[in-house]
Amino acid sequence: MTVPMTLRAETSIARGGKAVYGVPLGILMLEARFPRIPGDMGNGTTWPFPVMFRVVKGASPERVVLEGARGLFEDFLRAAEDLVSLGCEGITTNCGFLSLFQAELSARLSVPVATSSLMQVPMVQALLPPGKRVGVVTVSAQSLTPAHLLAANCPADLPFVGTETGREFFRVLIKGEKDDMDVALAREDILEAGRALVARHPEVGAIVLECTNMPPYAAALSEAVGLPVYDIVSFITWFHAGLRPRAFG
C-alpha cells in the first residue's frame, strides 16, 4: 500500500473573524487622476493575485513627493487600519517616498508593512558582484532626501537620477498638469533617466525603480541599459509570496 507524502486533515469548520476573505494585500493609494495603465501599481490587472485598494484623501503626489508627506501620517494610518480591519494581512503603499512612514506604520499596525520599492536596494545590492552597485531611477531626484534613504536602509551615497527634466512623466504624475498621459513620451522619460544613471555611474550593476508608476517601462529600460531592473511589482510579488506561501503536495 502506498502512503501519501502529505495528509491534510479534513474539517467542516470554516474560520471567521474577517469582513473580506482571499485578499491578503492592502494598497494605500495616493489621490490622483492620471491614467494607471497595466503595470502601474494602481491598476488591478497588474497583480497576479487579488488586492484591496484604499485611497488616502488629500494625499496628492505633489504633497507626498514634493512636500515630504507632511501632516499625512495619521491619514495613512487610519486607511491602513481600515484595510487591516477588513482582513488584509499585509500593507503596502503607492509611493516610494512613503519610506518615511515605514518604521511608524510598522510600529502601529499588527501586520507586515512594505512602504517603498527602495526597501529592495539592500537586497539587490547583496546579489551583485564586487565593484557593482545598485542605482535608482526616481520620479524626483530633488525630493529624494537622506531621510528617505535612511528609512529604507539605503546607503547615503546611493546613485540616483530623476525624471524632472522629462517631457511627460513628471509633469503628469507629480504636477498634475493634465489627466491624460502620452505613454510613449513617459516611456522615453524613464529610458533617458536610466541611460543618464548608468552614464554617470558606470559601476551600476542593477536598477531599482523608486516610483510605483514606473513598472510599465521596466522591461524597456532593462533592454535599453542591459541591466536587471527591479520595481514595486517585483518587491510586492515577493512580499505577497510570504503572506500566501505556495502549498506543495
Side-chain angles (χ1 to χ4, degrees), residues 26-28 52-54 79-88 91:
I27 302 177
L28 299 174
M52 198 181 309
F53 295 106
R54 183 66 78 250
E81 289 173 336
D82 186 37
L83 287 171
V84 172
S85 71
L86 289 174
C88 290
I91 296 295

Side-chain angles (χ1 to χ4, degrees), residues 194-220:
R195 292 187 185 109
L197 175 68
V198 298
R200 297 175 196 173
H201 302 279
E203 75 277 14
V204 166
I207 294 174
V208 169
L209 302 179
E210 166 274 317
C211 180
T212 66
N213 314 109
M214 291 181 179
Y217 319 107

